[in-house]
Amino acid sequence: MESKQQNLPQKILYVEDDPDIRAVAEIALEDVGGFLTAICESGAEAVERAPEFEPELILLDVMMPGMDGPTTLQALRELDGRDSAIIFMTARLQKSEIEEYQALGALGVIPKPFDPMNLSEQIAQIL
């Protein structure tokens, strides 16, 4: 199935530790948005799966046990030098925090909780 949005990435790696949010995001990305996704429950799993999946976009939770979002981003960047687009998804939306995420290389931040029916549109607005 192709993405319903023109010029959007087709392959998205989604990293989220909360199983309920993962389930909602999977439906939002695949069924509503038409994206091909790899869904990961941890930063370690994302680092393991990313090389084979070769995502064009990575949606990354900020606060996760073990490897948090920024640490996961750094590990993904060190894998093979790929420069996939990164969007953080978080409830932490202070201006200084958003600036920190952007300094790490994120293109933007999608606030949580997110509207599953509009997630694809939010991605498009950031990209």
Side-chain angles (χ1 to χ4, degrees), residues 92-103 106 108-109:
R92 298 180 62 181
L93 298 170
Q94 297 295 322
K95 184 177 182 207
S96 62
E97 292 167 325
I98 293 172
E99 289 170 353
E100 176 186 336
Y101 307 145
Q102 291 172 329
V109 177

Side-chain angles (χ1 to χ4, degrees), residues 1-55:
M1 179 185 278
E2 283 192 27
S3 168
K4 296 176 183 176
Q5 302 277 344
Q6 289 287 335
N7 301 318
L8 285 183
Q10 300 298 307
K11 295 173 74 174
I12 297 178
L13 181 72
Y14 180 68
V15 189
E16 168 64 58
D17 63 306
D18 184 298
D20 294 330
I21 296 174
R22 273 198 317 272
V24 170
E26 184 172 14
I27 292 168
L29 294 169
E30 292 180 358
D31 296 342
V32 177
F35 298 103
L36 176 63
T37 63
I39 309 293
C40 301
E41 67 180 47
S42 68
E45 183 182 355
V47 170
E48 183 179 309
R49 294 184 64 192
E52 184 176 324
F53 184 67
E54 297 183 338

